[in-house]
Amino acid sequence: MSFLSCGRQSGTADEGVELQRDGNLSESARPNTQHASLFENVITQFNKAADLMRLDPSIRKILSRTSHEIVVNFPVRMSGGGIEMFTGYRVQHNDSLGPFKGGLRFHPKVDLDEVRALASWMTWKCALAGIPFGGAKGGIQFDPTGYSLADLERITRRFAFALGHYIGPEYDIPAPDVNTNAQIMAWILDTYLSMVEPKHRNNSIHVVTGKPIVSGGSFGRDKATGQGVVYNILKWAEENNRPIKGLTFTVQGFGNVGSWAARLLVQLGAKLIAVEDISGGTRNLKGLKPEDVLSFTSARRSLAKYSGGQFVDHIMFLKTKADVFIPAALERQITADTADWLDVSLVAEAANGPTDPAGDAILQDRGIDIIPDILCNAGGVVVSYFEWLQNKRRESWELEKVDARLQATMHKAYDRVRDVAGEHNTDRRTAAYIVALTRLEKVYTERGIFP
Ligand code: NAD
């Protein structure tokens, strides 16, 4: 029987897939040909920098692959008595600079490709910030909004148990990401501690960062990613002679990162004029109050119905004229389809991977500046490093010390990226990769590759 006569027309536009006579997907008509996978986007960015800096070919081979990919399918007895199966992931990309480090995401779209990409970005981010961590990322593929707090705890603890000793305070250290927070970290910590020998419990609390303060968390970790975004925007504003007072900005995603960035910028005199989250968008050219927006969205009410602004749909939101756009939601928001709509001077990438390579090229052609994700949102992992250090040294730093050290780290990274962009006559994303890859290359060159 011919594979082409199987009752459905092959290669129809809506399927976007074509079967060859041997039943394999033809090379030219694979699904997603027009949309590369997220990890392919990382490799495109990586290759551009590796070509320009002439990265050693062996090191290039190593860094373009992940070290370990852990997939766990685990059952959870829910509070109603029934059993549900979940799939969780932890991808460890590289640990040549230190223990694997990276967040955990709870989202229905989490999959191996996404986690691979996010883990690789963590490697570059830590290397760029100059902190002694490698890169990892993980998550569970489910929608946490459909579950009670009691069931969320069961799912989280069972996942931590399934990961077992694939995580550890000197080996692989998770942190919050999309739909996870300090409470989730506290449950993971408690579950992990119940699995280690009693004598090691008190020197293992740095197995996760982003914990609640009383459980060993750091002052300033909750706002750290947003704070880092703000330090970057302030550097850009200074470089471009743009006063922060009156600077207009829009934010996509009003969770941990987006809402903190907005609150801190408004405190400095900038004006938040549009916000979009999963529930809709709102705009007010006279200025939105971030605290009001936050308390409205915290009650899980649709932002489209917020009375402090006018409803905007996705396209209207993206077309809003402002000085700065802060994507702080999910990846692949600025693409060939949307990049032309932006009417801003700067895209400050608070999210991971919000701009794909096609979108990136359009922004560059249009002269829109970009602070790339691995620089812009590094504040979170930098303060996670401070939390990890405090736990190891049994110290608790004042918020002022955390902020001062974060600011110094972000400024150093920002300046280095600007300088390297100038030296190589390239864009800042590629420059950020070059800074990170240079550090990684040095480590491999010094240590060699065994055997
Ligand atoms: P969060 O779960 O606290 O908030 C996510 C926000 O995005 C929510 O407001 C949600 O409504 C919104 N959102 C989700 N899908 C959307 C869509 N399709 N359109 C518009 N809005 C949408 O997550 P977070 O921790 O703030 O993380 C946001 C981004 O920042 C992610 O890309 C994450 O990887 C990155 N990041 C987070 C940290 C951190 O410390 N939490 C650190 C570095 C990078």
Side-chain angles (χ1 to χ4, degrees):
M1 187 186 86
S2 158
F3 282 104
L4 291 177
S5 59
C6 53
R8 298 167 72 195
Q9 276 214 316
S10 66
T12 55
D14 56 338
E15 285 173 297
V17 177
E18 188 175 85
L19 286 174
Q20 287 179 319
R21 289 205 175 266
D22 61 5
N24 290 329
L25 294 176
S26 84
E27 204 54 46
S28 62
R30 291 219 162 103
N32 290 328
T33 40
Q34 69 279 48
H35 296 295
S37 81
L38 203 60
F39 187 61
E40 282 165 352
N41 286 349
V42 177
I43 293 301
T44 301
Q45 296 170 347
F46 169 81
N47 281 338
K48 185 174 175 192
D51 286 345
L52 197 59
M53 67 181 282
R54 300 204 174 122
L55 180 68
D56 179 290
S58 312
I59 297 165
R60 188 175 178 137
K61 266 189 212 159
I62 296 169
L63 293 176
S64 57
R65 303 284 292 269
T66 59
S67 294
H68 313 118
E69 302 187 341
I70 300 135
V71 182
V72 288
N73 296 306
F74 55 96
V76 180
R77 183 174 295 285
M78 312 307 288
S79 44
I83 299 279
E84 277 189 42
M85 284 299 292
F86 292 87
T87 301
Y89 303 90
R90 187 72 181 168
V91 170
Q92 297 164 335
H93 175 257
N94 189 280
D95 66 347
S96 59
L97 293 175
F100 296 111
K101 183 85 188 83
L104 290 176
R105 179 177 285 197
F106 290 177
H107 195 275
K109 292 213 170 115
V110 166
D111 64 14
L112 202 48
D113 178 77
E114 181 187 67
V115 180
R116 249 177 220 150
L118 293 164
S120 323
W121 279 318
M122 286 307 299
T123 302
W124 322 139
K125 198 180 299 183
C126 294
L128 168 62
I131 55 176
F133 283 143
K137 204 83 177 193
I140 309 178
Q141 189 186 68
F142 82 119
D143 180 1
T145 56
Y147 291 86
S148 67
L149 202 62
D151 280 342
L152 267 186
E153 177 174 354
R154 285 163 183 262
I155 297 163
T156 303
R157 285 184 180 276
R158 190 60 185 74
F159 178 47
F161 180 78
L163 285 180
H165 291 281
Y166 286 118
I167 61 171
E170 303 292 332
Y171 178 59
D172 183 354
I173 305 132
D177 191 73
V178 174
N179 290 330
T180 58
N181 56 22
Q183 175 61 78
I184 303 274
M185 295 306 116
W187 290 329
I188 294 175
L189 170 65
D190 188 67
T191 310
Y192 181 84
L193 293 183
S194 71
M195 293 189 285
V196 300
E197 283 183 63
K199 67 180 178 195
H200 289 308
R201 281 192 194 135
N202 273 320
N203 53 23
S204 300
I205 64 163
H206 49 306
V207 63
V208 283
T209 58
K211 303 179 282 290
I213 303 282
V214 284
S215 293
S218 174
F219 288 111
R221 176 59 186 88
D222 51 353
K223 66 166 180 143
T225 310
Q227 181 71 76
V229 170
V230 171
Y231 288 144
N232 274 289
I233 292 173
L234 287 173
K235 284 288 278 182
W236 172 87
E238 186 188 301
E239 203 177 285
N240 291 278
N241 291 321
R242 306 281 281 262
I244 199 75
K245 202 162 166 34
L247 194 88
T248 55
F249 69 102
T250 62
V251 179
Q252 183 193 46
F254 219 64
N256 172 284
V257 179
S259 73
W260 270 113
R263 279 175 279 176
L264 295 166
L265 278 173
V266 167
Q267 278 169 23
L268 293 170
K271 202 201 277 188
L272 172 66
I273 57 170
V275 174
E276 183 190 51
D277 75 359
I278 188 82
S279 72
T282 188
R283 184 161 70 191
N284 185 341
L285 299 183
K286 290 189 183 139
L288 293 158
K289 292 192 179 127
E291 279 80 9
D292 272 9
V293 176
L294 194 59
S295 60
F296 190 83
T297 55
S298 304
R300 294 217 180 147
R301 283 175 292 180
S302 167
L303 202 49
K305 297 193 175 135
Y306 178 61
S307 61
Q310 293 83 44
F311 162 76
V312 277
D313 65 20
H314 183 56
I315 298 177
M316 287 159 76
F317 168 77
L318 286 180
K319 287 185 170 174
T320 302
K321 183 176 172 52
D323 295 311
V324 181
F325 171 43
I326 306 177
L330 297 177
E331 48 270 7
R332 282 192 285 207
Q333 297 301 305
I334 305 167
T335 63
D337 296 334
T338 60
D340 276 319
W341 297 341
L342 296 184
D343 191 359
V344 295
S345 305
L346 171 70
V347 173
E349 293 184 338
N352 285 303
T355 312
D356 76 2
D360 204 329
I362 294 171
L363 294 186
Q364 283 184 46
D365 279 354
R366 295 185 56 216
I368 296 176
D369 290 343
I370 303 169
I371 304 177
D373 48 7
I374 58 172
L375 170 64
C376 195
N377 71 33
V381 73
V382 169
V383 176
S384 275
Y385 168 55
F386 298 160
E387 179 177 328
W388 186 77
L389 270 186
Q390 289 170 72
N391 293 161
K392 277 165 77 82
R393 298 174 181 173
R394 294 172 199 273
E395 291 176 0
S396 175
W397 301 356
E398 300 293 333
L399 179 60
E400 291 69 29
K401 176 171 174 174
V402 172
D403 279 348
R405 290 192 63 164
L406 172 63
Q407 188 183 43
T409 309
M410 299 308 294
H411 282 186
K412 197 170 160 194
Y414 186 98
D415 290 344
R416 187 81 195 108
V417 169
R418 182 201 52 218
D419 294 349
V420 169
E423 284 158 27
H424 286 270
N425 191 23
T426 190
D427 59 277
R428 293 199 185 187
R429 188 187 312 285
T430 307
Y433 268 71
I434 291 177
V435 176
L437 296 178
T438 302
R439 191 158 178 233
L440 287 154
E441 185 178 41
K442 251 185 211 143
V443 169
Y444 276 105
T445 310
E446 281 165 11
R447 292 187 196 167
I449 293 158
F450 175 80

